[in-house]
Amino acid sequence: MNLNHPVTYIKGVSVARAELLYTELGIKTCNDLLHLFPFRYIDKTQFYTINQLQQNSSEVQIVGKITGVKEVKQKRGSRLVATFADATGSIDLVWFKGAKWIKDSLKIDTPYVIYGKLNWYNNTANMPHPEMETVKEYKNKLQMAMQPVYPSTEKLSNKGISNKMMRSMLQNLLQQVFGNIEETLPSSLLNEHQLLGKRDSLLNIHFPKNQELLAKAQYRLKFEELFFIQMQLLQKKLIRKSKIKGYIFEQVGEQFNQFYKNHLPFDLTNAQKRVLKEIRKDIGSGAHMNRLLQGDVGSGKTIVALLSMLIAIDNGYQATIMAPTEILATQHYNGIVELLEETDIKVELLTGSSKTKKRREIHAGLEDGTLHILIGTHAILEDKVKFKNLGISIIDEQHRFGVAQRSKMWQKNGLPPHVLVMTATPIPRTLAMSVYGDLDISVIDELPPGRKEIKTVHRYDSNRLGVFKFLKDEIAKGRQAYVVYPLIQESEAMDYKDLMDGYESIVRDFPAPEYQISIVHGKMKPADKDYEMNRFVKGETQIMVATTVIEVGVNVPNASVMVIESAERFGLSQLHQLRGRVGRGAEQSYCILLSSYKLSSDGKTRLQTMVETTDGFKIAEVDLKLRGPGNIMGTQQSGVLNLKIADVVKDTSILYAARQTAINVLQDDPALSKQENASLLKVFTQIQKTSGLWSNIS
């Protein structure tokens, strides 16, 4: 029997059970079942005598004999009571169901091991429905001390697939295939990291002899899982750098130099210079660039993107920026047009709202090469949009684009354009290594000089009047403010009511004509939304009441206060993004988090984190701990993190060790052709057969 056989090959697994295991837990083959790991263990290393029993809620294990059995009549039916004794005393074992069947199976004066929770009545203990087996059965079993508890579902339990049955299936499986389990890691790695062998690891993860062997088995299996993920990511990177050719931008020419000397509105920070140097090295190497640029809101990613595009233009190529929303695309367009107004570089905007006549002009300019930079939304991906020679593609907030969409950028040209992916959502290092490990990563980790840190405070709803007074003081100084309400789709009607109630109370407290207020929410027509946004941008209104539609894309340097209503209903990264809407000018800015007194412990942690730090990476680390990796990356990105045993939050040190080991192996033997790496090559070939089509498109 081999591990690729269906689970019906295991003794005791019928076709019906196999179907249930597949629909409920995704288990199809023997290998799938072997890699269904327990999530906790019941420690049966400790035996108690009856006189040691305490009145607590823990489960206990006792060795003794049944000295007598009786049936006790009750109002409904009867219960079965057996007297169980050891050398120090006796207790009753009680069954309320299945009395006839159990009575027939009990053996008097035979040594048993019993296990269960105690019930105490008048200082006397009894044990209802104990787990029990004869001492002889206990000694013959594979598992001696620690009992595994497996993931389950209500349907599995209802259909009789209990934890005991899962243990029995795994015991049968291990007995059938133990000799066929192959080692997947070379002996050099096992020795270097003092790892348990694969066979012993699988035996001790399911049926550990003791705590120490369990810890060794867990470490080995976590290391292996993370190691193979890193091998895949690093090999993709290696292939991209050696096999996938990219355009060579040899010169930094007139457009770049003129702009840098005469039109750059401020000096670049050291972080921006460092990132630009990394990009220049990539695009001059002849390999295809695939770089992730991380930087907090306001750190100056756009200027780095623009300078990179100018290098492409100097080398006779075109450039594009793709953003997830029309608001953000328009903001990029306005900002870049303003920066380039004294140059002869042609920039256009293409979105879903672009008129047919404008589209025709854009298509013609792209195809004859007179249009240098195209900024837009998914509209850029349409088949009609053809470039003469697209050299670099910049994707903003890329987690909002699917892989299939991004792959279309590759098909616009003979060679794929260089790709620079930008995000203002800081990604913790462990997650970046696991999800984007095949990308080169650049980080802008300092804000431009003159930016003041945003002061953040947490206030309860009862402080609302004080908050409104503070708003009036700031408005009197000529500043503007945002008041943001949560938008949670499941309860759109309630959110809309919250927003409208809030708007009405603000209108009462900030009456016209002294105060002018804008309102923006998802139910408005795009034209009305733009009209209200523009009034605020121009300074015609002092307060913008909005839902989270303003999370990305609004740049109003004069806005100095962000009030977030029901702040406990927002996620950490969302709170951080919203706070980034202020603090864009030279004045001191403030973020006020308003919440009710009813806060969950996670809610308290989130608000406390926001008050304590403005560092996006620290915030992202806390967010990762609170939410877990899958939720942060969203379903599109979390495929890589469909981990069976490792946890990128808790197993950071194992992740670093696994990545470094993978780097060392591939540096020494990139094709895994050495005899000592034969086992790695075999596993790797198997992985590549099952991984998706998109492996080269980050």
Side-chain angles (χ1 to χ4, degrees):
M1 168 172 161
N2 79 39
L3 287 169
N4 293 322
H5 280 142
V7 286
T8 46
Y9 275 67
I10 303 167
K11 188 178 155 196
V13 182
S14 63
V15 171
R17 276 180 189 161
E19 275 178 19
L20 262 175
L21 286 171
Y22 181 61
T23 54
E24 293 300 293
L25 297 173
I27 290 167
K28 204 170 193 174
T29 66
C30 294
N31 196 48
D32 294 337
L33 184 62
L34 197 54
H35 288 83
L36 175 76
F37 298 127
F39 64 92
R40 70 183 179 92
Y41 297 83
I42 295 165
D43 188 350
K44 290 191 172 179
T45 50
Q46 177 87 35
F47 283 89
Y48 292 86
T49 54
I50 289 170
N51 68 350
Q52 288 176 325
L53 300 177
Q54 300 289 322
Q55 291 199 33
N56 61 29
S57 62
S58 71
E59 292 154 320
V60 293
Q61 184 170 244
I62 313 165
V63 179
K65 291 177 182 177
I66 291 173
T67 57
V69 180
K70 61 183 178 184
E71 279 192 65
V72 180
K73 294 285 180 205
Q74 299 178 159
K75 279 185 183 173
R76 285 186 183 177
S78 60
R79 68 180 186 272
L80 184 70
V81 179
T83 305
F84 185 80
D86 68 3
T88 68
S90 67
I91 62 167
D92 284 346
L93 309 181
V94 187
W95 292 269
F96 298 96
K97 288 178 184 173
K100 170 93 179 68
W101 173 76
I102 291 162
K103 188 178 181 182
D104 293 345
S105 70
L106 295 177
K107 298 170 184 170
I108 305 285
D109 285 336
T110 301
Y112 273 101
V113 175
I114 66 163
Y115 179 84
K117 230 178 209 174
L118 296 171
N119 233 346
W120 289 83
Y121 185 71
N122 286 342
N123 285 334
T124 306
N126 65 53
M127 189 182 284
H129 293 269
E131 284 182 30
M132 56 196 301
E133 54 197 340
T134 63
V135 168
K136 190 179 175 186
E137 286 170 337
Y138 179 86
K139 284 181 176 170
N140 286 342
K141 281 178 77 171
L142 197 58
Q143 147 262 339
M144 290 298 291
M146 299 180 68
Q147 212 174 77
V149 181
Y150 292 95
S152 186
T153 66
E154 199 176 338
K155 200 168 183 185
L156 285 173
S157 304
N158 291 343
K159 295 282 184 182
I161 299 182
S162 62
N163 195 59
K164 192 172 181 182
M165 187 179 282
M166 292 294 282
R167 289 203 311 268
S168 167
M169 282 182 208
L170 273 145
Q171 191 167 320
N172 290 339
L173 171 60
L174 274 163
Q175 283 168 344
Q176 283 171 265
V177 301
F178 193 70
N180 300 338
I181 295 171
E182 291 180 8
E183 184 50 72
T184 49
L185 297 175
S187 53
S188 57
L189 288 193
L190 296 178
N191 295 334
E192 183 190 342
H193 295 280
Q194 297 178 319
L195 299 173
L196 213 54
K198 179 79 176 212
R199 252 179 228 178
D200 287 339
S201 297
L202 286 167
L203 177 64
N204 280 287
I205 199 82
H206 291 294
F207 303 106
K209 298 276 192 300
N210 54 46
Q211 294 280 1
E212 189 186 352
L213 278 167
L214 171 63
K216 283 184 172 176
Q218 286 174 329
Y219 186 94
R220 149 71 204 237
L221 293 166
K222 287 176 179 185
F223 179 92
E224 178 180 0
E225 185 169 43
L226 294 167
F227 171 77
F228 280 114
I229 284 175
Q230 292 304 322
M231 286 287 280
Q232 286 176 75
L233 293 166
L234 291 161
Q235 190 149 49
K236 276 185 205 171
K237 195 174 188 173
L238 214 63
I239 289 169
R240 183 165 48 74
K241 293 204 161 175
S242 57
K243 305 267 172 68
I244 302 174
K245 297 287 171 250
Y247 297 114
I248 301 178
F249 298 164
E250 284 174 313
Q251 58 177 333
V252 175
E254 193 181 338
Q255 297 288 9
F256 181 97
N257 289 324
Q258 283 297 323
F259 179 80
Y260 196 89
K261 284 175 194 157
N262 304 324
H263 306 300
L264 195 62
F266 46 77
D267 290 339
L268 295 185
T269 62
N270 289 329
Q272 286 171 314
K273 286 176 186 169
R274 182 187 69 242
V275 169
L276 203 54
K277 202 177 276 181
E278 290 164 353
I279 292 168
R280 277 175 61 178
K281 191 177 170 193
D282 281 356
I283 57 186
S285 69
H288 174 245
M289 174 172 83
N290 216 352
R291 189 168 279 280
L292 174 70
L293 174 55
Q294 292 190 71
D296 239 327
V297 175
S299 61
K301 295 183 295 296
T302 310
I303 205 82
V304 170
L306 174 58
L307 289 164
S308 307
M309 292 193 291
L310 291 177
I311 297 174
I313 293 164
D314 273 335
N315 286 273
Y317 293 94
Q318 293 161 300
T320 178
I321 296 185
M322 193 161 74
T325 65
E326 216 160 292
I327 291 173
L328 197 50
T330 307
Q331 186 183 306
H332 277 309
Y333 173 74
N334 292 336
I336 283 171
V337 164
E338 191 181 324
L339 286 164
L340 296 176
E341 64 187 345
E342 291 177 39
T343 70
D344 55 2
I345 292 169
K346 192 155 190 274
V347 186
E348 286 289 4
L349 176 68
L350 180 66
T351 68
S353 339
S354 301
K355 300 283 184 283
T356 311
K357 186 185 173 201
K358 189 66 183 169
R359 282 171 184 265
R360 284 202 195 106
E361 280 174 34
I362 289 170
H363 293 164
L366 287 176
E367 287 179 46
D368 66 20
T370 53
L371 175 51
H372 303 108
I373 296 174
L374 180 63
I375 297 169
T377 53
H378 315 76
I380 293 176
L381 298 173
E382 290 167 7
D383 293 338
K384 292 175 196 156
V385 179
K386 292 187 172 64
F387 292 80
K388 184 181 180 186
N389 51 358
L390 178 60
I392 187 167
S393 172
I394 289 157
I395 300 173
D396 199 12
E397 292 303 338
Q398 68 99 48
H399 56 279
R400 307 212 181 178
F401 293 102
V403 177
Q405 290 172 319
R406 302 199 297 265
S407 72
K408 285 192 173 180
M409 289 308 266
W410 280 49
Q411 295 152 17
K412 300 274 181 195
N413 272 52
L415 280 180
H418 292 300
V419 176
L420 181 66
V421 164
M422 301 197 299
T423 179
T425 308
I427 301 160
R429 190 155 176 246
T430 49
L431 210 53
M433 272 166 46
S434 310
V435 180
Y436 298 116
D438 57 330
L439 288 175
D440 296 301
I441 297 177
S442 290
V443 179
I444 300 180
D445 49 12
E446 61 180 307
L447 289 176
R451 281 280 173 98
K452 291 192 174 115
E453 196 167 280
I454 301 162
K455 287 185 180 169
T456 305
V457 293
H458 171 214
R459 297 284 181 262
Y460 291 105
D461 290 336
S462 55
N463 301 118
R464 191 177 303 278
L465 289 175
V467 171
F468 282 1
K469 181 182 181 310
F470 179 73
L471 280 187
K472 285 177 178 167
D473 291 345
E474 283 295 295
I475 291 168
K477 294 178 194 168
R479 316 266 185 272
Q480 291 164 280
Y482 297 98
V483 180
V484 178
Y485 287 82
L487 179 67
I488 298 170
Q489 264 131 10
E490 291 90 323
S491 58
E492 211 166 277
M494 185 177 107
D495 292 318
Y496 183 67
K497 181 179 175 296
D498 281 358
L499 178 78
M500 296 321 288
D501 287 352
Y503 176 67
E504 281 164 21
S505 78
I506 285 169
V507 168
R508 278 197 303 275
D509 274 273
F510 296 84
E514 191 182 346
Y515 300 99
Q516 295 296 319
I517 300 166
S518 287
I519 182 165
V520 176
H521 56 82
K523 289 189 171 183
M524 291 167 79
K525 289 178 181 159
D528 295 341
K529 213 185 288 182
D530 289 346
Y531 171 73
E532 287 290 338
M533 290 257 195
N534 285 330
R535 285 177 68 209
F536 188 67
V537 171
K538 288 178 194 159
E540 292 169 9
T541 59
Q542 293 96 357
I543 299 174
M544 159 82 79
V545 177
T547 56
T548 48
V549 289
I550 60 129
E551 187 184 332
V552 290
V554 190
N555 186 16
V556 184
N558 189 45
S560 66
V561 187
M562 167 63 70
V563 177
I564 303 176
E565 290 271 3
S566 304
E568 73 276 20
R569 287 172 68 186
F570 290 88
L572 252 181
S573 61
Q574 217 178 10
L575 289 170
H576 182 61
Q577 288 278 347
L578 285 167
R579 174 166 64 185
R581 295 297 108 215
V582 295
R584 292 171 164 251
E587 305 306 326
Q588 178 63 58
S589 289
Y590 305 88
C591 176
I592 301 166
L593 307 168
L594 275 170
S595 82
S596 68
Y597 279 98
K598 279 185 187 170
L599 287 177
S600 65
S601 68
D602 279 5
K604 275 183 192 148
T605 305
R606 287 198 299 271
L607 299 185
Q608 196 178 340
T609 304
M610 287 294 293
V611 171
E612 283 170 5
T613 181
T614 53
D615 181 329
F617 288 94
K618 282 187 188 158
I619 288 167
E621 291 286 354
V622 176
D623 203 20
L624 181 62
K625 283 182 181 137
L626 290 176
R627 290 201 292 155
N631 291 325
I632 287 193
M633 299 319 297
T635 49
Q636 285 176 330
Q637 301 292 349
S638 60
V640 170
L641 291 177
N642 208 353
L643 298 170
K644 294 216 180 329
I645 189 166
D647 179 323
V648 294
V649 183
K650 294 177 185 147
D651 300 321
T652 313
S653 59
I654 307 177
L655 172 61
Y656 287 138
R659 183 170 175 85
Q660 194 50 55
T661 306
I663 289 169
N664 297 345
V665 168
L666 287 171
Q667 276 176 348
D668 176 59
D669 184 14
L672 301 179
S673 54
K674 291 185 178 177
Q675 183 52 41
E676 67 197 73
N677 290 327
S679 56
L680 291 183
L681 185 62
K682 190 174 178 183
V683 176
F684 215 71
T685 310
Q686 195 58 41
I687 288 170
Q688 285 177 318
K689 279 181 193 166
T690 54
S691 66
L693 299 168
W694 308 110
S695 55
N696 290 323
I697 300 149
S698 298

